[in-house]
Amino acid sequence: MILKSNESNSLPSVDAFALERMTDLSNDEKIDELLRRSRSGGIHDFGGQGPEGSANWNTGKPIPACLLLHDLEVGSIPYSFGSEPRFATVTELDLSGNCLRILPPNFFENMKNLRILFLGGPGPKFTPEGATCNVLETLPSSVSYLAYLEHLSLHDNQLTELPNLSGCTLLHTIRVDRNPLRTLSDLPASLRVLHLEGCPLGGTLNHPENLPEQVRSLTRLEDLQLPDGSHLGEFFGTPLPSLLADQER
């Protein structure tokens, strides 16, 4: 059943809201049903975000620029979510905590203005808080063409590789901690923050030369979290280029 605007205070419980079980809805109706669950507030304003449905979105209204759809446990995303022209308004998107296994291949087709993307969390996947983490194994390659992307959070998924992100020249933060990454693709030189805790990649504080080449080539990192959880970088007074130079002496 599609909720009307005057039913916003009687939303079903989260457990009742798995899109996979809404077999009587069309794809467009599933998208609208999901959008009705969006929260008010800013993507970084964790204490100030409203409850489910507080953005008061209804069919025909513009999609919020900050689209907060986290912790809904939807299980899957409708096929054309993100590829319809109306998604061009979205600059910030949070889909963490939705038990997602895959994203539609055309997911980023009309979200070319996206600046912040949260697909990780809500907590470490081996803790109770992480029970609803997404379990994405791949990302659509079109993420590589998000020219305005600044922040990409992918922690606590099941990613074994990343698309080439070198073209995302405004990207300053990537979190891929606790993913079973076997390799890294090219990364943008603009990166300031890179978190790799729990990834089966080489490199330690004492042996930074064992880091993947794609990481060693980043000269502007302020916060690099290594696979063992330790930190280095300009912010910590241990710039990576200097540590690598010391190892070569």
Side-chain angles (χ1 to χ4, degrees), residues 13-33:
S13 66
V14 169
D15 289 342
F17 183 64
L19 288 179
E20 292 175 324
R21 296 194 291 272
M22 293 187 175
T23 56
D24 58 326
L25 300 185
S26 69
N27 187 73
D28 286 344
E29 288 172 336
K30 287 182 179 181
I31 292 176
D32 285 359
E33 189 68 23

Side-chain angles (χ1 to χ4, degrees), residues 62-82:
I63 296 178
C66 181
L67 189 53
L68 303 178
L69 296 170
H70 56 83
D71 302 313
L72 295 175
E73 303 180 44
V74 295
S76 65
I77 294 295
Y79 182 78
S80 58
F81 186 100

Side-chain angles (χ1 to χ4, degrees), residues 186-213:
D186 289 341
L187 299 169
S190 55
L191 272 188
R192 300 291 192 276
V193 178
L194 176 61
H195 285 189
L196 300 171
E197 181 187 13
C199 298
L201 302 168
T204 64
L205 193 59
N206 292 327
H207 293 285
E209 72 277 8
N210 293 332
L211 284 163
E213 179 183 356

Side-chain angles (χ1 to χ4, degrees), residues 65-209:
C66 181
L67 189 53
L68 303 178
L69 296 170
H70 56 83
D71 302 313
L72 295 175
E73 303 180 44
V74 295
S76 65
I77 294 295
Y79 182 78
S80 58
F81 186 100
S83 65
E84 298 177 356
R86 56 180 173 155
F87 281 92
T89 60
V90 179
T91 60
E92 303 177 6
L93 175 62
D94 188 350
L95 280 170
S96 56
N98 276 307
C99 309
L100 299 177
R101 297 180 293 276
I102 191 170
L103 295 176
N106 55 353
F107 184 75
F108 297 111
E109 184 174 324
N110 270 304
M111 288 198 283
K112 295 181 174 64
N113 294 310
L114 204 58
R115 294 189 301 103
I116 301 174
L117 177 60
F118 285 5
L119 291 170
K125 56 191 172 186
F126 48 79
T127 67
E129 293 78 12
T132 61
C133 281
N134 297 330
V135 286
L136 299 171
E137 296 182 3
T138 60
L139 292 178
S141 60
S142 53
V143 69
S144 304
Y145 303 108
L146 296 178
Y148 299 105
L149 192 63
E150 300 173 3
H151 184 122
L152 179 59
S153 184
L154 301 167
H155 61 90
D156 295 289
N157 275 281
Q158 292 295 319
L159 298 167
T160 57
E161 60 182 3
L162 295 177
N164 188 324
L165 297 171
S166 60
C168 300
T169 56
L170 298 181
L171 191 57
H172 58 70
T173 298
I174 299 179
R175 285 197 59 186
V176 287
D177 24 325
R178 296 178 294 278
N179 275 280
L181 289 173
R182 296 192 298 264
T183 184
L184 287 176
S185 62
D186 289 341
L187 299 169
S190 55
L191 272 188
R192 300 291 192 276
V193 178
L194 176 61
H195 285 189
L196 300 171
E197 181 187 13
C199 298
L201 302 168
T204 64
L205 193 59
N206 292 327
H207 293 285
E209 72 277 8

